[in-house]
Every structure is written in C-alpha cells, then in structure tokens.
Amino acid sequence: MDVRFEKTTAPKVKPQDMSKVPFGSVFTDHMFMMDHDPENGWHNARIVPYGPIPVMAGATVFHYAAEVFEGLKAYRKPDGSVQIFRPEENAKRMNNSAERMALPTMDVDMMVEAMVKLVEVEKDWVPTDPGTSLYIRPFLYANDEDLSLHPYTKSTFVIILSPVGPYFPDGLKPVPLLVEEEDVRAVRGGTGYAKCGGNYAGAMRAGARAEAKGYSQVLWIDGVERKYVEEAGGMNVMFRIDGKMVTPELNGSVLPGITRKSAIEIFEDWGDPVEEKAIPLDELLAAIKEGRVSDAFMIGTAAVICPISGLAYGDDLYEINNGDTAQKIYDAITDIQWGRAEDKYGWCVQVG
Ligand SMILES: *Cc1c(COP(=O)(O)O)cnc(C)c1O
C-alpha cells in the first residue's frame, strides 16, 4: 500500500503523567485516512496531521448514522519495542460491522498494515509507564452528500491514536452494575454484533441514569424476551456459577469481544473451559443469593477485566464475593499484551 505522508509542522507536547489523563482525551500528531468509492475502490491512503475532518453538512454519517468503529491497543514491551494485540481480529470484526451497515469492507492485511504504519510513525507516543498503552481507534463512515435513502457510494476510513493510562492505577476494583429494565441495547436481527456508533447513542441514556445512581455501568438483558443476560455497558461479562465459567453466547445481539475470545482460549488451555450459553437473569440472581456465584467480571479492551461487586435489580442488591479468577485472567492477558510473557498463541503483531 502506498501511503502519502504529510508530517505535522506543529508537534504536540506529550503528557508527562499518563495516570492523570482521562481515557481518550489526548490524541497523537498524525492520523491515517483513506477513501472509498465504487469506481476507485480504496484509494488515497495518507498519514496526515491529526485534526478536523472536512465533512459536508449533508453527509450521510450525520443523518443516518452510517458509522462503524474499532478499539485496540499498542503496548510498550520491556525491551522498549512496540506490539499490537490481535489487530487481524479487529480488522475482521470491522469488516463484519461494515457489512452489516452496508459500508465497504477492506482487505484485512491492508487494514492491519495501516494500523502498523501509523503506530510506527507515532512510536514515541506509545507510553512507557506500567499499565499505559496507545489506544488505536479505526473508524469508517459514509460521506455521500445525499439525504435520499440509497446505498452509500462514498466512504472514508480513519485511524486515530490516543495514549491512555492504567484503567486501574491501584489494582482491580470491583464495581456494582445496575440491571437495565427499560431500554435495550440491541435485538436479534439488529446491529448488536456490529461495533457501530448508533448502538452507543441508543445506550447512552441508560448509562447516564445508572451513573447518576452511582453504578459504573448497566447490565443489559436481551431485547426479545427480556430474560437473558447479554453484556455490560461496552464490555462482555463472565461468571463462575457452581464452579463453572459461563458467558452469554454470541446470539447476534451480543458484541463478539476479542478480549472475551482471548480469555475463552486461555481458560480452555487451563482446563477450566468457559461455557457459552444463554444465561437467564433470574437463575443468575438466584445463584448469587445462594452463594453459588464465586466470580463475576466484565471483559473488554479498555479495562481488560473489571470485577463485578454486585447486581442491582429492582430494589435489591445482589452482592458477589469475588474469588481470584478475575485477577488470574487479567494477569494472563496483560502479560501477553505488554510482552512480559511469551506470546504462545501468536496474538501480537510487532511494530517496526
Ligand atoms: C467493543 C465492545 C466490547 C468488547 O470488545 P473487545 O474487543 O474485547 O474490546 C464488548 N461489548 C461492546 C458493546 C463493545 O462495543
């Protein structure tokens, strides 16, 4: 892939103390961009100074939310080199999301190459302090200047980068979740499995209400029968019930998390397999009440693992006493991500 490079003339001052930078609030000096239309396919790959994107007010993305995105990270290894965790998986998922939203897909190798090239240019932005990383945010949107509801013809793919501090500077901290009984995040046949901005817009109200009541996130239940546990805010969930690891199955409305998938592979390797199945909320609550739930955590790129201290449902709080599973799987995943352990599954892609 030929990539035109326009170097910034005004490099930014990098934050000195990453632990004080709120997640996703600082961006690096450059971004990757590429355009698509049916005649030319993907073209005009470029790395340009980070900044505003020219988009017409009539562009489809603003009116019909034609947008999908990804989230992954580059990590500084103990020897100072940099690696990206499972970028092919994110590229494949972005294509699945794009396909669902009638946006163009892209060759997986080309998307990974774009990420690697940009991170290489911005290598000095990969922070070095423990627990820090460089968050990679690819996104893709339709920018036809056209309000008619016809298939899009013009799209743009962008990658921006944001250095991020440790999610838990003082170690894993269990948080309570509020079971959301009114809003639903996704339905079967809808866009739940796609990482599209619209899913987040529709989830914002419930998240804000939960936060106002002192909960970190909502626990979503399925939108069809309103009976089964799906996921939490923007993360997947796992529980140990009666000694067995379980997680909601990928039923079309649950987002197929790559951290979830990685954990399932590691648990399998440990001889502690995770069963993927429909988990009825009432059975989970009963199991918590009877002391049969020994571990509960959220799992996703941003925090990796976040233990769940309890579920608030109606007027009751169902408290969970977490065992050591959250810490164990957190250590196993993050040791591979930061290059402290051998990458025995071949998950990481080296930069430079
Ligand atoms: C991105 C995301 C996840 C977690 O996926 P990872 O690939 O592990 O980061 C889970 N749920 C939702 C709704 C998401 O958008």
Side-chain angles (χ1 to χ4, degrees):
M1 178 174 40
D2 264 345
V3 182
R4 179 168 65 80
F5 181 38
E6 182 189 331
K7 199 173 163 65
T8 182
T9 52
K12 300 175 193 171
V13 178
K14 298 179 180 66
Q16 285 306 303
D17 185 356
M18 282 311 307
S19 66
K20 296 205 171 65
V21 177
F23 180 85
S25 63
V26 171
F27 297 94
T28 68
D29 287 318
H30 299 90
M31 59 186 176
F32 178 95
M33 294 183 80
M34 184 158 52
D35 303 312
H36 184 276
D37 62 51
E39 297 82 59
N40 300 301
W42 287 108
H43 64 283
N44 194 15
R46 56 208 187 269
I47 292 175
V48 295
Y50 172 87
I53 299 175
V55 191
M56 298 308 277
T60 341
V61 59
F62 295 128
H63 305 279
Y64 307 127
E67 191 263 2
V68 299
F69 67 96
E70 269 305 328
L72 67 164
K73 286 173 171 176
Y75 302 84
R76 181 80 63 184
K77 294 166 73 175
D79 67 5
S81 64
V82 171
Q83 65 182 14
I84 305 177
F85 186 67
R86 309 197 82 172
E88 300 96 344
E89 291 294 329
N90 292 86
K92 282 191 236 163
R93 186 171 68 189
M94 185 137 182
N95 278 341
N96 289 338
S97 302
E99 200 273 329
R100 176 64 185 83
M101 306 301 283
L103 285 161
T105 58
M106 190 187 300
D107 180 69
V108 164
D109 292 338
M110 188 163 88
M111 206 189 302
V112 172
E113 191 185 337
M115 294 188 230
V116 169
K117 280 210 157 92
L118 182 65
V119 172
E120 215 170 333
V121 165
E122 302 288 64
K123 217 166 171 178
D124 290 350
W125 279 94
V126 184
T128 50
D129 288 335
T132 61
S133 55
L134 185 66
Y135 186 74
I136 306 173
R137 165 56 59 87
F139 61 104
L140 164 65
Y141 58 92
N143 54 4
D144 292 60
E145 204 179 353
D146 182 2
L147 301 184
S148 77
L149 281 169
H150 291 296
Y152 328 120
T153 59
K154 282 197 254 164
S155 316
T156 300
F157 172 73
V158 189
I159 308 172
I160 55 176
L161 304 174
S162 173
V164 294
Y167 209 90
F168 296 108
D170 311 314
L172 299 187
K173 188 174 147 287
V175 298
L177 300 180
L178 177 64
V179 178
E180 174 59 38
E181 295 176 75
E182 187 183 355
D183 293 355
V184 298
R185 194 192 80 90
V187 295
R188 251 84 88 201
T191 57
Y193 70 86
K195 217 169 168 75
C196 61
N199 285 347
Y200 278 78
M204 205 55 85
R205 178 174 82 166
R209 284 196 298 224
E211 227 172 272
K213 287 185 191 162
Y215 298 96
S216 118
Q217 316 231 16
V218 299
L219 182 71
W220 296 110
I221 49 180
D222 80 283
V224 179
E225 297 177 68
R226 316 289 292 256
K227 208 169 127 182
Y228 299 100
V229 174
E230 296 233 304
E231 50 186 314
M235 298 174 86
N236 297 111
V237 287
M238 290 191 179
F239 305 94
R240 192 187 291 283
I241 306 175
D242 296 325
K244 272 208 54 101
M245 290 302 299
V246 293
T247 193
E249 64 191 348
L250 300 179
N251 57 2
S253 48
V254 170
L255 196 289
I258 292 157
T259 324
R260 171 189 184 277
K261 177 184 169 122
S262 305
I264 288 173
E265 290 172 45
I266 294 173
F267 277 118
E268 178 77 43
D269 219 12
W270 286 347
D272 185 11
V274 182
E275 191 183 351
E276 299 175 67
K277 62 173 197 175
I279 303 174
L281 177 67
D282 58 355
E283 286 180 24
L284 176 65
L285 295 176
I288 294 173
K289 214 164 202 169
E290 290 157 17
R292 293 187 286 115
V293 176
S294 55
D295 293 283
F297 53 87
M298 301 182 270
I299 179 161
T301 296
V304 186
I305 298 289
C306 179
I308 301 167
S309 63
L311 303 181
Y313 180 64
D315 293 328
D316 298 316
L317 179 64
Y318 295 75
E319 282 182 81
I320 301 165
N321 286 315
N322 270 278
D324 61 0
T325 306
Q327 187 69 51
K328 269 172 63 184
I329 192 70
Y330 176 85
D331 290 344
I333 295 173
T334 55
D335 280 351
I336 294 174
Q337 290 174 330
W338 271 283
R340 292 186 294 258
E342 183 209 346
D343 180 17
K344 63 189 248 195
Y345 309 102
W347 284 341
C348 299
V349 170
Q350 307 306 309
V351 173

